[in-house]
Amino acid sequence: MMRRIFGDYAYGAGPRSNCWWDETCPPPIWPEFQGAQSVDVAIIGGGFTGLSAALHLAEAGLRVAVLEAETPGWGASGRNGGFCCLGGAKLGPRAMARLHGSRETQLYQASEEAAVHLVEQLIARHGISADTHSDGETVMAHSAKARKALMMEAKTSGATFIDAPDLAERGFGGNFHGALTTPVGFALNPRKYLFGLARAAQAAGALLFQNSPALEVTQHGSHWHAVCPGGRLSAPQMIIATNGYSSENLPEWLAGRYMPTQSTVMVTRPITAEEQTTQGWYTAQMAYDTRHMLHYFRLMPDGRFLFGMRGGLMSSPRSEAKIRSLLRRHFERLFPAWSHIETSHSWSGMVCLSRNLVPFVGPVPEHKGLFAGLCYHGNGVAMGSYSGALLAQLVEGRTPEMPYSKVMQRMPRFPLGRARRLLMPPAYGLLSLLD
């Protein structure tokens, strides 16, 4: 039986109802797991991490099976904002260098850039049509203080700083104090990308199963076993790729080591060229602002505008309605000329945090044959895909050919155990004050 730290509503159909991505392409239908099977590698979770790992392992000739608890694209990989960009850690470079040293920090930063390029390569190699756009990513300064910080960053990073008077002519209309464009990254339709990965993995020989939750994960002798409603999957090696939809006991090692938290997204009806001009936002760049409780947004190829934010702490029908309403108010505050533009779709999903604010990717300590990849801090398109490829190399027993920092190899527990959600309201309150 799964033990999760939110109530049942958070893991049901309510938060993802009215998700725009569901309208863009039909899901594949995978079989449900039945009977007793043995493979080389069992993977729990059919999102970016699990399918990337399955694809790379199958291409290496291993027998792989993926257990997805719901239907394809149901979790965070099928309902996120579609930002393939630098990110994965919430620990800044200076703090990371103080804690882990400059070499490991540089290695981690190299992995973030390599993650974006990996997605590019996967899309190209497998002919995935994912509605890609945006030449890099742009961060918008929400205050004069944030503007100064972006100017300083531009001097050392090589990114392009755009001052406030020049924003309008570049299509960044709004009440922003400046912006910084990083040339790495692009936007995509996450559902189309995910299903493209799935097709590629199946073509390589991976077995994918839907509606097949792992209800129990145990080790007996040299094999790991996942018990599903329809049977038992066994393998000498197993990958846990469940991220914000993890369970405290799958396996027991996970208990207290991850923090699911909510992100909410809305999509408008198509905005006409004239309406875009009225607001002054007509750029194809994906963007986010400098708030700790950030907003992220982009004009999509069909003219719809995607707008999302962090901040939901509770999960119930009432709290879901409240966060969607709050999201809409934030949208109208940032883009007042679009206050008449209707919201056509709105939904929520779980992102996943770690206590040390960096992803965990690697072998689970003291659990031979068990590996995990999770906690991407809301940047799972690139880092989840990268983690899957990295885990595949580790499972094969290879020294990784891609950047792999020791920063990603620890996952300490949060205080308070299953009650650790109590840590979030004061943390969010402080961050909101800082904004």
Side-chain angles (χ1 to χ4, degrees):
M1 185 66 66
M2 292 185 181
R3 296 202 309 261
R4 288 161 157 169
I5 69 170
F6 278 84
D8 290 344
Y9 180 83
Y11 307 103
R16 83 173 318 283
S17 65
N18 200 31
C19 177
W20 163 244
W21 305 123
D22 292 354
E23 308 290 330
T24 64
C25 61
I29 299 176
W30 304 340
E32 296 184 15
F33 185 84
Q34 299 290 333
Q37 295 189 43
S38 181
V39 293
D40 296 321
V41 186
I43 299 174
I44 312 299
F48 296 133
T49 303
L51 291 181
S52 175
L55 169 61
H56 288 89
L57 287 166
E59 288 180 331
L62 279 73
R63 293 176 300 131
V64 185
V66 176
L67 299 178
E68 167 56 47
E70 300 287 344
T71 53
W74 184 91
S77 296
R79 59 171 108 171
N80 62 83
F83 282 51
C84 181
C85 56
L86 298 176
K90 282 297 182 184
L91 187 66
R94 290 183 182 177
M96 190 178 290
R98 285 197 303 270
L99 292 170
H100 304 285
S102 59
R103 181 184 179 280
E104 292 301 325
T105 300
Q106 291 168 4
L107 198 57
Y108 176 77
Q109 291 178 312
S111 72
E112 287 196 350
E113 185 164 346
V116 174
H117 296 316
L118 173 68
V119 176
E120 287 178 319
Q121 293 159 11
L122 289 171
I123 288 173
R125 180 155 61 94
H126 297 289
I128 301 172
S129 178
D131 302 336
T132 57
H133 67 93
S134 186
D135 184 14
E137 181 181 44
T138 300
V139 54
M140 315 296 298
H142 80 287
S143 66
K145 181 179 179 181
R147 171 186 173 274
K148 291 180 181 178
L150 293 185
M151 289 181 67
M152 292 296 294
E153 184 177 342
K155 293 178 181 178
T156 58
S157 68
T160 301
F161 179 75
I162 308 168
D163 212 349
D166 302 319
L167 289 174
E169 67 181 39
R170 301 195 186 204
F172 295 104
N175 187 25
F176 299 107
H177 296 256
L180 187 70
T181 294
T182 301
V184 179
F186 56 94
L188 47 64
N189 179 320
R191 185 175 171 95
K192 290 183 178 181
Y193 168 57
L194 181 71
F195 294 169
L197 280 183
R199 288 191 298 271
Q202 286 179 310
L207 303 174
L208 310 182
F209 298 98
Q210 69 178 42
N211 296 324
S212 302
L215 303 176
E216 182 182 358
V217 169
T218 57
Q219 186 181 30
H220 299 292
S222 61
H223 278 61
W224 286 91
H225 305 272
V227 177
C228 302
R232 179 188 294 263
L233 177 65
S234 302
Q237 301 191 90
M238 177 178 285
I239 294 174
I240 305 297
T242 45
N243 206 36
Y245 293 86
S246 295
S247 174
E248 297 285 272
N249 59 332
L250 299 174
E252 294 285 351
W253 169 83
L254 261 182
R257 297 181 190 271
Y258 63 98
M259 180 78 80
T261 187
Q262 192 177 54
S263 189
T264 305
V265 190
M266 57 168 271
V267 165
T268 70
R269 65 156 168 86
I271 301 175
T272 67
E274 181 179 354
E275 289 169 330
Q276 292 173 27
T277 302
T278 301
Q279 175 59 50
W281 190 283
Y282 50 85
T283 177
Q285 282 290 99
M286 59 180 180
Y288 65 100
D289 64 23
T290 47
R291 291 173 174 83
H292 293 284
M293 303 302 291
L294 64 85
H295 303 100
Y296 51 96
F297 37 90
R298 61 186 175 99
L299 192 64
M300 297 194 288
D302 64 354
R304 295 177 185 270
F305 195 74
L306 180 148
F307 183 82
M309 73 176 190
R310 308 281 190 259
L313 290 168
M314 307 299 290
S315 188
S316 68
R318 182 180 178 185
S319 60
E320 183 66 29
K322 288 178 65 175
I323 193 65
R324 294 188 190 191
S325 177
L326 180 64
L327 176 68
R328 175 70 199 195
R329 294 199 297 274
H330 280 228
F331 165 74
E332 293 182 5
R333 191 181 308 153
L334 282 177
F335 301 98
W338 287 345
S339 60
H340 68 288
I341 303 292
E342 301 88 357
T343 298
S344 64
H345 296 77
S346 187
W347 68 94
S348 296
M350 295 291 189
V351 299
C352 193
L353 318 179
S354 69
R355 184 179 179 182
N356 57 355
L357 301 179
V358 294
F360 177 83
V361 186
V364 173
E366 300 178 8
H367 291 69
K368 185 178 179 181
L370 186 65
F371 299 78
L374 68 163
C375 296
Y376 309 125
H377 302 90
N379 285 277
V381 177
M383 189 52 72
S385 302
Y386 186 82
S387 296
L390 184 55
L391 287 167
Q393 294 186 6
L394 293 170
V395 166
E396 290 180 70
R398 297 161 53 190
T399 299
E401 301 167 357
M402 41 214 302
Y404 181 39
S405 173
K406 293 178 182 177
V407 170
M408 306 167 79
Q409 299 174 42
R410 289 185 61 252
M411 196 176 180
R413 283 191 171 91
F414 284 91
L416 306 183
R418 291 190 69 186
R420 60 190 180 277
R421 284 175 57 202
L422 296 174
L423 299 169
M424 298 305 291
Y428 273 20
L430 175 61
L431 292 175
S432 296
L433 287 174
L434 291 174
D435 287 339

